[in-house]
Amino acid sequence: MTNAATLEATSSLEKRLRATDIKPQIASRVELSKEQLLSGEYAADLRELLERRGVLVFKEVNFTDAEQVAFTKTIGEFLPEMEGQEVYNITLDPKLNAKSDYLKGSLYWHADGTMNKVPIGSAILTSHVLPTWGGNTEFCNTYAAYELLSEADKNLVEGLKAMHSAWTSLFYYDPEPSYEKLMDMIRIGEVELPLVWKHRTGRKSLVLGCTTHHVIGMDATESAKLLVRLRDWATQPDFVYSHEWSVGDAVMWDNTGTMHRAMPYDPNCGRLLHRTKTAGEEPIQ
Ligand code: OGA
Ligand code: MN
């Protein structure tokens, strides 16, 4: 397609979805009604827009859990949690989630399921209890971050791989863990992933986040410099959308072309989001 044809296709897609850009490089607000979203009629359009924009925001759409599950199923293959839950409580409050400790890693830039053979495809969060302070969810567009790298940096990262592990993220929130805790996280395993994901669509995105330990074959200091510089680049304000929650909001992200994090909040304030997910469709390669 020519540029003009692409622009026209984009604007008719956005018209059908009643979608408007929130920021030039990331996130669209979609103002379809709940009934329209649940009908499944717009699912292919929503998937296309999600891939282009990284994040779709449905302000105060007020899905019930059953509606959130039904909507998620229109977007892709529904993926329950490992313990079987369809809808997962995202909260740092141990009374609401027995594994809330593990969620402390979500305060740092990451994508979901990086350690899986195939990472999560997309995910939806809905807001049920607001934080007393902080607690925005931030998203960055890792497609835009790759596409706007300098040619020199594109050449530099091409072909590089990094070691990822859950235990790396442990040190972000528990800098002096017990040996037992470290071993628990080490048992989750390690994977080598490319710094640049070549998607089957032909598009490329950066693969970073708090599971990234080091670049394979690189001196420790050089590796840290490169990984921090790339994370800094990918999370610069132009590539980031920060969502301030209202109760009833639903936010969906393309987990294959974005990273996200929770901003700090009072862990005892009851902040509660409900998450559903779709299965990924391709490994990181
Ligand atoms: C998640 C996550 C961020 C938040 O649900 O996967 O990282 O803002 N949540 O709670
Ligand atoms: Mn997450």
Side-chain angles (χ1 to χ4, degrees):
M1 269 200 277
T2 62
N3 276 347
T6 308
L7 271 180
E8 202 171 300
T10 305
S11 78
S12 69
L13 174 71
E14 298 192 331
K15 240 183 238 140
R16 286 199 296 280
L17 294 175
R18 299 183 54 210
T20 44
D21 288 3
I22 298 178
K23 292 185 75 171
Q25 297 294 351
I26 184 166
S28 294
R29 177 166 179 188
V30 173
E31 294 184 85
L32 293 177
S33 67
K34 176 152 82 176
E35 291 64 37
Q36 287 172 314
L37 293 173
L38 290 173
S39 72
E41 226 175 282
Y42 298 88
D45 282 347
L46 287 167
R47 280 176 60 116
E48 190 179 332
L49 191 68
L50 183 66
E51 207 250 345
R52 284 195 202 160
R53 304 286 306 147
V55 177
L56 302 183
V57 175
F58 311 93
K59 282 297 285 176
E60 295 180 10
V61 64
N62 289 303
F63 283 143
T64 62
D65 281 357
E67 287 167 344
Q68 182 173 344
V69 169
F71 175 63
T72 309
K73 286 181 175 168
T74 70
I75 298 298
E77 182 194 336
F78 189 83
L79 189 68
E81 292 297 320
M82 277 190 289
E83 301 90 27
Q85 304 95 320
E86 287 200 314
V87 175
Y88 194 63
N89 281 346
I90 301 292
T91 176
L92 293 175
D93 191 336
K95 292 191 291 297
L96 296 171
N97 181 335
K99 292 200 169 163
S100 61
D101 220 40
Y102 192 71
L103 286 172
K104 288 182 185 159
S106 68
L107 294 164
Y108 306 93
W109 287 111
H110 67 281
D112 292 341
T114 316
M115 301 298 300
N116 306 353
K117 283 221 161 50
V118 178
I120 311 308
S122 60
I124 298 172
L125 281 174
T126 55
S127 169
H128 295 265
V129 179
L130 296 180
T132 46
W133 54 265
N136 278 17
T137 305
E138 299 202 328
F139 300 89
C140 74
N141 188 336
T142 53
Y143 279 123
Y146 176 79
E147 282 153 17
L148 293 165
L149 275 178
S150 67
E151 281 310 309
D153 275 341
K154 280 185 183 164
N155 290 332
L156 176 66
V157 294
E158 182 71 29
L160 289 182
K161 288 189 161 195
M163 194 273 269
H164 288 249
S165 64
W167 68 261
T168 302
S169 64
L170 170 65
F171 285 93
Y172 278 73
Y173 58 89
D174 190 357
E176 292 183 342
S178 67
Y179 182 69
E180 288 69 33
K181 191 133 179 216
L182 176 65
M183 288 310 294
D184 277 351
M185 296 298 269
I186 285 181
R187 273 182 217 107
I188 299 174
E190 298 179 352
V191 286
E192 273 185 24
L193 298 172
L195 280 181
V196 180
W197 185 344
K198 298 183 177 77
H199 299 254
R200 60 188 179 191
T201 55
R203 292 182 75 197
K204 294 179 181 176
S205 64
L206 287 177
V207 181
L208 300 166
C210 63
T211 56
T212 321
H213 189 267
H214 68 277
V215 179
I216 309 293
M218 201 177 264
D219 162 87
T221 308
E222 288 311 305
S223 164
K225 277 162 61 182
L226 177 60
L227 291 174
V228 170
R229 187 164 68 79
L230 289 173
R231 197 242 300 125
D232 229 24
W233 168 263
T235 60
Q236 64 182 287
D238 279 356
F239 301 149
V240 171
Y241 168 61
S242 182
H243 186 75
E244 184 177 345
W245 293 98
S246 301
V247 170
D249 287 354
V251 175
M252 171 160 67
W253 68 94
D254 171 3
N255 190 61
T256 73
T258 57
M259 292 194 289
H260 60 280
R261 66 171 177 182
M263 293 307 280
Y265 58 94
D266 177 357
N268 301 310
C269 72
R271 177 190 191 261
L272 179 64
L273 302 168
H274 286 182
R275 186 182 68 191
T276 48
K277 303 183 301 201
T278 71
E281 296 170 6
E282 59 175 333
I284 301 176
Q285 56 195 358

